[in-house]
Amino acid sequence: MPAAAGRAAASAGAVRPGAVPARSGAWVVAGFGALLGAGVSWAASDGLIDDTYITLAYARNLAESGHWGLTPRMTSNAATSPLNVLLLAVFTVLVRPVGGSPVLALGVLTAVLGALAGWWLQRVAVRWGLSAGWPALALVVVLLNPFLASALGLEVVLVFTCVAGLLAAGVAGRAVLFGVAAGAGLLARLDVVVFVVVLALACAGVRRRLPVAVLACAGVALPWFAVSWWWLGSAIPDTFVIKTLQRSFGEGRTYLRGLWTHYALNTPGTVLVAVVPAVVGVVVLGVLVVAVLRRRVPVGAGALVGLGLGGVGYFAVYSVLGVPPYQWYYVPPLVALSVVAVLGVGVLLGRRARGPVARGALVGAGVAAAVGLGVSVPAAAWPLPWAYPPVFGNFATPAEYRRIGADVGVLVGDERVAAPGEIGTLAYACRCEVVDAFSDPAVLQPLVERRIAQAGPVLGALLELNYARREVGAPRPVPWELAWTGPGTAAAGLPSWSTTAGTWRTPGELVLRPAQG
């Protein structure tokens, strides 16, 4: 290397190949990620949201009887993340000898995923000459984000880990590993394809061996999609149909505007804590683009630009789709841009990132992230484990739903009961046949037909192909229903339960009554 070029690389903070220790600090950061994941899981263990219990019910049924469905006897395909369900089922089996439940399995899995994410982020940091404090701070900012913590048990941590794996493989130029991480990401959430495409183009080592990466990705992901299409009647989860048709948040509260028209109105402090790192990430992304074009950053740092653009692109895609503003939909772009904010600042600082001022800033930022999560937890949810998470919009608290579900299971036995608008926690605690579009393909079928009719010619043709093997019989009778009424208004003689509904909803009453059609 010519002397001038060597000085330029050094000034940019680059590390010469061979000068990087093979596993420098990786075990330390991985251990920190495991502890952080376990801690967040414990804090959330009593207050998991309703959609998380959909995933836990799928995992428990798979672990106990090999059954793929939300309820014990109806086969369904409404698990958005098949990989998350499969992993939770495996860990449910592993913790069974110690009397563990799917909730404990979730805690162990989250710790493992936190460790993997930490390992991969540290491998990236080492290549850019950054100390272990930078990936550790990235773990803190991401795993303590109140939107992610509020959706724990869904695929939010799994997506973070897959994206970290994509980044590490891309920076290292390992096309096969990139393809494996890409396949896992697609099974975690199909929309991770946005990050896969952008990072593949941004990483020169992967771009040069793109066919190899594509083959590895196909080898990991295609078997499940084929099995799902043949066996479950749809290659993609049915939640695509359910969620793209939903307008349950009210007029104007779509994904594009939801942070401000929905969440900021109810919990402004939580939104501020969650969004600030991503806003910093957008600013850092702009500076990184200029630095990459002027070659003032280490080799491979353009991958951070790809990660940031993936986050922006993800937000744009969901905004165009106009889906409801569920909190976990915001997690992938928040995660990507938060990682860009932390590692990007370290890259831009170069050798100054290893100085005492930088170390103090890292500690301060970590403390601020921890305090931010604590401040964002509603007062009524303390002490830990919290009764419900910082971002919470269900009709009843998790504890109330668990109690109601257990009672309903005793009352209805083997008979079917219609869900009252939310199904996850009730079905998990009930272990009975709770019926709605998430659990019964016959109830979902009109929505499938409606979605195909509303789609354009291209999407419509793809959806028809996707559902070509779908065979659904006539809906079976549902003799019971759970319905919401005002406090004290349930008819005499009918079982009913009062609810407080956490932070956003007014108190209500859930009544079990004969189905009214």
Side-chain angles (χ1 to χ4, degrees):
M1 175 185 292
R7 287 192 299 270
S11 65
V15 179
R16 296 187 310 276
V20 179
R23 290 182 174 83
S24 176
W27 288 110
V28 175
V29 180
F32 178 72
L35 289 173
L36 201 57
V40 174
S41 297
W42 170 77
S45 58
D46 284 348
L48 300 170
I49 62 173
D50 194 70
D51 281 74
T52 290
Y53 276 101
I54 293 177
T55 302
L56 293 179
Y58 267 89
R60 184 179 64 190
N61 289 332
L62 184 61
E64 291 182 351
S65 60
H67 170 64
W68 192 269
L70 173 57
T71 67
R73 290 186 292 277
M74 288 187 290
T75 299
S76 55
N77 191 25
T80 300
S81 176
L83 181 57
N84 198 35
V85 170
L86 290 167
L87 290 173
L88 280 169
V90 169
F91 278 87
T92 298
V93 173
L94 292 176
V95 301
R96 188 180 296 161
V98 295
S101 68
V103 176
L104 176 60
L106 168 61
V108 177
L109 175 59
T110 304
V112 171
L113 292 176
L116 280 174
W119 177 279
W120 279 324
L121 290 179
Q122 171 63 6
R123 300 299 295 157
V124 171
V126 165
R127 286 187 171 272
W128 294 335
L130 300 178
S131 66
W134 293 94
L137 177 60
L139 288 171
V140 170
V141 172
V142 169
L143 294 178
L144 297 190
N145 186 296
F147 273 69
L148 180 144
S150 297
L152 208 70
L154 294 176
E155 59 280 357
V156 287
V157 179
L158 179 58
V159 167
F160 167 47
T161 303
C162 290
V163 169
L166 286 170
L167 182 64
V171 171
R174 298 178 63 182
V176 174
L177 180 59
F178 186 93
V180 171
L186 296 182
L187 295 178
R189 276 195 76 91
L190 193 55
D191 46 37
V192 172
V193 67
V194 176
F195 293 101
V196 171
V197 171
V198 177
L199 278 168
L201 296 176
C203 300
V206 176
R207 192 170 62 246
R208 286 192 294 267
R209 302 181 64 206
L210 195 57
V212 174
V214 171
L215 284 175
C217 176
V220 171
L222 277 184
W224 168 259
F225 291 128
V227 168
S228 181
W229 182 75
W230 185 266
W231 177 39
L232 301 175
S234 170
I236 63 174
D238 290 332
T239 45
F240 173 81
V241 167
I242 297 171
K243 299 299 187 182
T244 56
L245 288 176
Q246 277 186 348
R247 296 294 183 268
S248 55
F249 281 72
E251 187 65 29
R253 293 187 177 185
T254 60
Y255 183 82
L256 176 62
R257 302 171 59 189
L259 282 174
W260 320 116
T261 61
H262 183 68
Y263 292 105
L265 291 178
N266 296 285
T267 53
T270 301
V271 173
L272 184 66
V273 171
V275 171
V276 163
V279 173
V280 174
V282 172
V283 175
V284 172
L285 174 62
V287 179
L288 275 172
V289 170
V290 176
V292 168
L293 292 175
R294 299 180 64 181
R295 299 184 180 180
R296 292 184 176 271
V297 290
V299 175
L304 272 181
V305 173
L307 180 61
L309 292 177
V312 173
Y314 190 102
F315 189 91
V317 168
Y318 264 65
S319 297
V320 171
L321 287 174
V323 295
Y326 289 102
Q327 70 250 40
W328 54 93
Y329 290 178
Y330 293 102
V331 171
L334 290 176
V335 163
L337 290 169
S338 296
V339 172
V340 171
V342 176
L343 297 188
V345 167
V347 166
L348 292 170
L349 286 176
R351 284 182 295 179
R352 290 169 293 178
R354 299 185 290 275
V357 174
R359 287 194 292 270
L362 287 172
V363 173
V367 171
V371 171
L373 177 63
V375 170
S376 69
V377 177
W382 289 94
L384 296 178
W386 56 51
Y388 51 87
V391 183
F392 181 72
N394 293 141
F395 298 148
T397 66
E400 290 167 348
Y401 265 151
R402 290 194 296 266
R403 174 173 56 86
I404 295 169
D407 290 346
V408 169
V410 173
L411 293 169
V412 303
D414 292 334
E415 294 187 306
R416 291 155 59 90
V417 55
E422 292 179 331
I423 187 174
T425 317
L426 289 169
Y428 182 88
C430 175
R431 287 182 175 262
C432 61
E433 298 304 297
V434 185
V435 176
D436 75 355
F438 284 92
S439 61
D440 189 346
V443 176
L444 176 69
Q445 184 59 26
L447 298 181
V448 172
E449 296 169 358
R450 177 181 162 196
R451 188 67 183 88
I452 293 174
Q454 290 182 358
V458 176
L459 179 58
L462 291 174
L463 288 174
E464 286 181 350
L465 176 62
N466 178 67
Y467 288 108
R469 285 192 50 80
R470 184 180 178 85
E471 296 180 2
V472 179
R476 293 170 50 199
V478 182
W480 298 97
E481 68 178 9
L482 287 163
W484 290 102
T485 66
T489 62
L494 293 177
S496 62
W497 300 265
S498 298
T499 62
T500 57
T503 51
W504 294 358
R505 308 287 184 180
T506 58
E509 196 162 346
L510 196 58
V511 59
L512 177 67
R513 66 191 185 191
Q516 300 180 1

